[in-house]
């Protein structure tokens, strides 16, 4: 998509500028990981051991506590997709190595969820077959296309169609008979529904319909503590309590909140700056306005 600069009513098309190497692209994204992807940095060039002989470009942790692998390609995605899928399977079989890296870099009290580990591929272009292949193979793989321009503008957009996690199966390794005690819970809508009251749940369902109708918005249900909504990164999350639904969302220091109903949660919550309590249908319009503003800021 062409990008234009406007000066005095006249437009000039900006020229694309390439990164010199994949390492330069990687360093740029890692330096801006939270702003670009909503992911905390865990490690770079992470060794997969002598036996496997690989190095994961970037390891991170997202707002929902999900492990994230990021792999980069200057041109079309090519073999980096198969490489990334290999690393994702390796990570699921070596959870302890990842957890130690998180504890070392982010702290021992960080909660990690293994329900939805993610693979993010960052490349300048994809073939028409890549999004189809990804959607067939794994729904926790995300294709992001980037472009850098001569004035310093950096554009990042999602390529594969967003998929609702409704009915999604866990992606962890299969367990043998007798391992039932180790079986992970699949966190479904019904799981979250049991945490709150009927009035709040009915209001949440109306809010949910509005959020998933937003262009490019994706819902992530299969998480222990919350349901998240994202484009290329998360813009909102809903946590369920007996008294209602806490709608957390991203925003600057000052937001458009004329009734002063949003709470500043920056002192104790990473990734989301504000929260609004959805207690029933009377809160629906106001809640959607706040979350829609957060969505718009991520576009």
């Amino acid at each position: 998509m062409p990008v234009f600069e406007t000066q005095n009513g006249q437009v000039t098309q900006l020229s694309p500028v390439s990164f010199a190497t994949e390492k330069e692209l990687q360093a740029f994204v890692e330096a801006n990981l939270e702003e670009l992807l909503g992911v905390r940095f865990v490690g770079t060039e992470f060794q997969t051991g002598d036996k496997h002989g690989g190095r994961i470009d970037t390891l991170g942790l997202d707002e929902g506590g999900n492990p994230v692998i990021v792999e980069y390609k200057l041109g079309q995605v090519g073999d980096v997709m198969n490489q990334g899928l290999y690393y994702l399977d390796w990570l699921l079989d070596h959870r302890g190595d990842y957890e130690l890296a998180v504890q070392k870099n982010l702290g021992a009290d960080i909660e990690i969820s293994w329900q939805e580990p993610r693979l993010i591929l960052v490349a300048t272009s994809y073939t028409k077959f890549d999004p189809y292949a990804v959607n067939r193979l794994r729904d926790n793989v995300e294709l992001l296309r980037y472009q850098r321009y001569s004035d310093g503008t950096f554009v990042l957009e999602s390529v594969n169609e967003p998929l609702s996690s409704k009915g999604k199966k866990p992606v962890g390794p299969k367990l043998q008979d007798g391992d039932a005690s180790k079986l992970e819970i699949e966190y479904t809508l019904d799981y979250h529904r049991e945490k709150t009251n009927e009035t709040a749940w009915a209001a949440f369902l109306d809010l949910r319909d509005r959020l998933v109708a937003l262009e490019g918005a994706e819902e992530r249900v299969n998480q222990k503590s919350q349901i998240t909504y994202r484009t290329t990164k998360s813009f909102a999350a809903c946590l369920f309590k007996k008294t209602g639904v806490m709608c957390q969302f991203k925003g600057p220091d000052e937001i458009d909140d004329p009734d002063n109903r949003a709470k500043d949660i920056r002192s104790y919550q990473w990734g989301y700056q504000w929260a609004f309590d959805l207690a029933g249908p009377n809160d629906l319009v106001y809640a959607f306005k706040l979350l829609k503003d957060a969505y718009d800021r991520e576009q």
Side-chain angles (χ1 to χ4, degrees):
M1 178 178 66
V3 174
F4 298 88
E5 180 183 28
T6 303
Q7 290 185 347
N8 300 321
Q10 300 295 313
V11 298
T12 302
Q13 185 171 344
L14 297 177
S15 301
V17 176
S18 299
F19 288 94
T21 64
E22 287 179 10
K23 294 296 184 185
E24 183 183 356
L25 167 63
Q26 179 178 343
F28 173 81
V29 174
E30 288 180 347
N32 300 279
L33 202 59
E34 292 190 22
E35 186 63 28
L36 291 173
L37 302 178
V39 171
R40 278 185 283 187
F41 178 80
V42 172
T44 186
E45 299 297 323
F46 189 81
Q47 298 282 346
T48 59
D50 294 337
K51 180 178 179 181
H52 296 86
R55 289 185 298 178
I56 297 172
D57 287 348
T58 306
L59 272 182
L61 184 76
D62 72 10
E63 301 97 333
N66 301 296
V68 179
I69 291 174
V70 187
E71 294 288 320
Y72 309 90
K73 189 71 173 179
L74 279 184
Q76 283 191 352
V77 65
D79 290 340
V80 74
M81 184 185 298
N82 291 331
Q83 184 178 350
L85 289 170
Y86 171 81
Y87 288 149
L88 186 59
D89 284 337
W90 180 91
L91 190 65
L92 289 168
D93 289 331
H94 295 78
R95 301 184 184 197
D97 295 332
Y98 174 80
E99 290 170 355
L100 286 174
V102 170
Q103 292 171 7
K104 178 181 178 181
N105 291 279
L106 299 179
D109 59 343
I110 299 296
E111 184 175 346
I112 300 172
S113 170
W114 288 98
Q115 290 295 323
E116 290 196 329
R118 299 163 56 196
L119 169 63
I120 300 176
L121 304 179
V122 180
T124 51
S125 62
Y126 296 87
T127 72
K128 66 179 181 179
F129 305 108
D130 292 332
Y132 177 82
V134 164
N135 287 344
R136 283 288 183 178
L137 288 171
R138 302 287 282 269
D139 51 12
N140 57 330
V141 178
E142 300 157 45
L143 307 182
L144 300 184
R145 177 168 48 221
Y146 76 90
Q147 188 58 264
R148 185 172 65 160
Y149 293 92
S150 54
D151 71 336
T153 298
F154 186 80
V155 177
L156 191 65
E157 59 180 346
S158 178
V159 174
N160 48 327
E161 291 294 324
L163 297 173
S164 170
S165 55
K166 181 179 180 181
K168 186 182 295 182
K169 296 181 179 179
V171 296
K174 296 180 180 179
L175 298 176
Q176 302 298 321
D177 293 340
D179 287 340
S181 62
K182 303 177 183 177
L183 186 64
E184 292 184 355
I185 299 172
E186 182 178 1
Y187 301 108
T188 63
L189 279 176
D190 287 338
Y191 168 85
H192 294 287
R193 179 176 185 171
E194 292 176 359
K195 293 182 176 182
T196 192
N197 62 74
E198 289 299 322
T199 302
W201 181 255
F204 162 72
L205 291 180
D206 286 341
L207 177 64
R208 175 179 184 252
D209 288 342
R210 300 185 186 204
L211 292 175
V212 297
L214 297 173
E215 183 179 3
E218 177 186 0
E219 179 185 64
R220 300 256 176 175
V221 171
N222 197 20
Q223 299 175 84
K224 180 179 179 180
S225 60
Q226 61 193 9
I227 294 176
T228 58
Y229 297 88
R230 60 187 308 111
T231 52
T232 56
K233 62 178 180 178
S234 174
F235 63 88
C238 292
L239 288 77
F240 301 87
K241 305 180 295 182
K242 289 296 182 183
T243 56
V245 181
M246 178 184 283
C247 302
Q248 299 181 348
F249 58 96
K250 293 183 176 180
D253 292 344
E254 298 292 333
I255 60 173
D256 185 11
D257 178 23
D259 295 345
N260 293 317
R261 298 178 64 185
K263 298 180 293 187
D264 187 337
I265 58 173
R266 282 171 289 185
S267 63
Y268 62 89
Q269 173 65 48
W270 178 83
Y272 302 99
Q273 294 79 33
W274 299 93
F276 176 84
D277 290 326
L278 178 69
N282 292 337
D283 302 322
L284 175 62
V285 173
Y286 205 89
F288 179 68
K289 174 199 174 306
L290 293 173
L291 271 60
K292 173 64 162 52
D293 287 347
Y295 162 84
D296 290 339
R297 284 189 289 268
E298 297 299 330
Q299 302 310 298

